[in-house]
Amino acid sequence: MDTMKALVKTQRAPGLELKRVPIPDVGARDALVRVMATSICGTDYHIYSWDVWSQDRINPPLIAGHEFAGEVIEVGRDVTHIQVGDHVSAETHIVCHHCAQCQLGAFHLCANTEIIGVDIDGAFAEYVAIPAENLWPNDPELDPGIASSQEPLGNAVHTAFDGPVAAQRIAVTGCGPIGLMSVAVLKKCGAQQIIATEVNAFRLNLARRMGADVVINPLEEDVVSTVMELTDGGGVDGVLEMSGNPQAINQGVKMLRPGGRISLLGVPAENEVTLDLSNDVIFKGLKVNGIAGRKMWETWRNVRGLLAAGLDISPIITHTLPLEEFEKGMELMASGNSGKIILTL
Ligand code: NAD
Ligand code: ZN
């Protein structure tokens, strides 16, 4: 049997194992993709470090990884719209098409979502098999690292486009890779003022480079009063919450003008967060929206359009390593002194 190298969660314990495993079978509606680049997401780090979430969710053995770009080398017999040789990335949420949300066209909210690299084998491997309907054709000229990063870029675009952007004053709380991407999107789309908050100096510098007009370190400055001064006492029109940190979420609702919007992408580690709902949300008439995944396929079309219009996220890709050096990549992730980390094959 033909084999491939892959990063496999072999045991219910920290770490991933680089080993040879069989090349996956290709079902009638699947495509087999030769992976050229795959990027490390926070989820992969959770699986690698074997935190409480992954202990609950992950059933080894599992090939981790879900963000990727590659070339189709085989298609199942029922696949018509994707051809061998196509360059592709993928929507990582596999949806059921039958639940209420799918019937309503809100596929990103499917009740039966399966995620590659979480529920089924993923892309930290030479080859990945995936339903062909999940594939997104790429311009073959697109750099594989950027192509792989379209999935998190989609999170950033979905969050940014949850409300008005052009001519708005918008704050981004948390400048991990997705927050940084959202700063770049806001800049490209003509935001009037972009304020970024982040506790890590390396990432604050990157936020400035990506177009933030002002960067604030909450460990050094009072975020809310600084934002109020910057906005003549009025507050920002929108907040993109990209940290999941309860303090940042509270600062987000407090720094908004009445009637503003906060789009929540960051996932709090403890789930429950305390807010002064009366004063900071209800009487301010805020629009509070949860953001899950990427709209299929509206967000992907927007990502393609932004890249075609010249959106440049390349400075956010701070490290490119061979797959074999995944442990170094995970350490860099943990340090916070990184943007997006790409593994190449
Ligand atoms: P990340 O963990 O790299 O980024 C979070 C950043 O927030 C870090 O740089 C951290 O230093 C910063 N931060 C921590 N406390 C802060 C504070 N008090 N104020 C300001 N910044 C603070 O994660 P990422 O990959 O960029 O993803 C961003 C968030 O989105 C994460 O919480 C992730 O779990 C979540 N996420 C959600 C979805 C979804 O579908 N809703 C999808 C992908 C990621
Ligand atoms: Zn569904």
Side-chain angles (χ1 to χ4, degrees):
M1 185 188 291
D2 289 338
T3 63
M4 63 176 186
K5 60 185 171 188
L7 300 181
V8 190
K9 190 80 185 172
T10 50
Q11 294 177 34
R12 302 186 62 81
L16 288 171
E17 201 181 317
L18 178 66
K19 60 184 289 194
R20 293 206 76 87
V21 298
I23 293 176
D25 291 333
V26 186
R29 295 181 181 189
D30 294 344
L32 187 67
V33 179
R34 179 180 67 80
V35 178
M36 298 192 293
T38 177
S39 31
I40 305 179
C41 166
T43 304
D44 303 315
Y45 185 77
H46 291 308
I47 295 171
Y48 174 78
S49 64
W50 199 237
D51 69 354
V52 177
W53 171 84
S54 45
Q55 291 171 30
D56 203 44
R57 178 73 185 261
I58 304 297
N59 288 312
L62 176 86
I63 301 172
H66 56 272
E67 301 171 7
F68 70 93
E71 184 184 356
V72 175
I73 58 157
E74 189 182 333
V75 294
R77 65 169 187 274
D78 293 345
V79 175
T80 51
H81 75 295
I82 293 283
Q83 267 108 47
V84 169
D86 285 353
H87 284 231
V88 292
S89 291
E91 169 51 54
T92 55
H93 291 184
I94 298 168
V95 301
C96 76
H97 293 285
H98 301 299
C99 73
Q101 291 72 246
C102 284
Q103 286 173 344
L104 291 165
F107 300 105
H108 63 296
L109 302 176
C110 170
N112 304 304
T113 303
E114 287 196 312
I115 305 178
I116 74 163
V118 172
D119 302 306
I120 62 167
D121 279 338
F124 284 172
E126 280 177 280
Y127 303 95
V128 60
I130 179 164
E133 70 165 36
N134 280 65
L135 294 179
W136 181 252
N138 288 328
D139 178 348
E141 300 295 313
L142 189 62
D143 170 77
I146 305 257
S148 175
S149 304
Q150 289 178 107
E151 199 259 20
L153 177 56
N155 291 126
V157 169
H158 186 182
T159 313
F161 286 14
D162 180 50
V165 172
Q168 307 291 299
R169 293 171 150 170
I170 301 189
V172 175
T173 52
C175 293
I178 302 180
L180 290 167
M181 290 174 185
S182 70
V183 169
V185 170
L186 294 174
K187 189 73 185 171
K188 185 77 193 165
C189 295
Q192 176 194 159
Q193 185 180 34
I194 304 168
I195 302 170
T197 75
E198 168 61 54
V199 292
N200 174 287
F202 179 90
R203 290 178 167 186
L204 268 184
N205 282 331
L206 261 177
R208 197 178 280 114
R209 184 160 168 208
M210 295 320 296
D213 300 294
V214 184
V215 299
I216 305 173
N217 185 339
L219 303 178
E220 292 169 5
E221 280 179 82
D222 184 280
V223 172
V224 177
S225 62
T226 306
V227 171
M228 287 303 165
E229 274 167 38
L230 288 165
T231 53
D232 310 316
V236 288
D237 303 295
V239 170
L240 314 185
E241 208 306 296
M242 299 285 184
S243 75
N245 181 282
Q247 253 182 325
I249 296 169
N250 266 284
Q251 289 161 351
V253 290
K254 287 181 195 295
M255 69 172 78
L256 275 166
R257 67 165 173 80
R261 60 113 169 187
I262 181 164
S263 306
L264 300 165
L265 182 88
V267 182
E270 303 291 338
N271 297 336
E272 288 178 20
V273 171
T274 304
L275 296 177
D276 179 348
L277 269 184
S278 313
N279 292 305
D280 290 344
V281 177
I282 297 166
F283 292 125
K284 283 178 80 171
L286 295 191
K287 299 176 196 72
V288 181
N289 284 339
I291 308 292
R294 298 143 299 276
K295 288 186 184 167
M296 287 165 243
W297 291 87
E298 180 184 327
T299 305
W300 285 88
R301 292 180 63 88
N302 286 334
V303 166
R304 177 185 282 160
L306 284 164
L307 291 172
L311 175 71
D312 181 15
I313 60 162
S314 59
I316 300 168
I317 298 177
T318 53
H319 300 82
T320 301
L321 303 166
L323 184 76
E324 286 76 5
E325 290 184 30
F326 66 98
E327 280 172 332
K328 186 172 167 195
M330 294 292 177
E331 279 163 29
L332 278 162
M333 285 271 299
S335 76
N337 294 329
S338 59
K340 200 77 208 161
I341 299 166
I342 309 291
L343 301 174
T344 54
L345 287 110

